[in-house]
Amino acid sequence: MALEKGRPADCSGRLDKEIKSYDFLESLGIEFYRLDHEPADNMDVCDMLDCELGAVICKNLFLCNKQQTKFYMLMLPAHKKFKTKELTSQINSSRLSFAGADKMMEYINITPGSVSILGLMFDTDNNVQLLVDEDLINSDFVGIHPCINTSSLRIRSTDMFPAVPNALHHPYQVVKLSGED
């Protein structure tokens, strides 16, 4: 694995949504570094990526209320634990749960394990509200997927926020999660 600047020189064999992620970031003039790897499907892989990227790896959760009428994407550092009660009190919502893979595909065109803020480019009707833990905003770099979990990107936090959510037409709400048990 090697950290490389920008998109792959050869994008053949890559998913269209991954290429659109690179196109989007480049259209904003955002510098990013890319690391291709095996699927990031557990915390051990995320810990390794954290070291390789030199960034706070984002855990991106796709959530909904009980009635499945409101959907949220929560970005938080990978090491933090998610507690619904802590979040719902900050956003004035009923209890939240994980939205199904079908809703994830419908709204953000992403499969489980690959959730990314960049998936919001597919939510043109703004069905998903973006929530961002303050620790990500205050970090130097964040690590996200380009809509697929076999690559990770390192982006300067000050380049990510507020430029990316603004360009995606998804205003975000900053939340403060303790991440403690």
Side-chain angles (χ1 to χ4, degrees), residues 123-142:
D123 180 30
T124 56
D125 293 330
N126 290 74
N127 292 301
V128 180
Q129 181 181 348
L130 180 60
L131 308 171
V132 183
D133 184 83
E134 70 177 2
D135 287 349
L136 288 178
I137 293 170
N138 295 328
S139 66
D140 291 330
F141 294 94
V142 294

Side-chain angles (χ1 to χ4, degrees), residues 79-93:
H79 69 275
K80 280 195 173 183
K81 295 201 183 308
F82 166 65
K83 293 187 289 186
T84 186
K85 184 177 181 180
E86 187 177 26
L87 179 61
T88 56
S89 65
Q90 292 180 55
I91 64 171
N92 297 319
S93 174

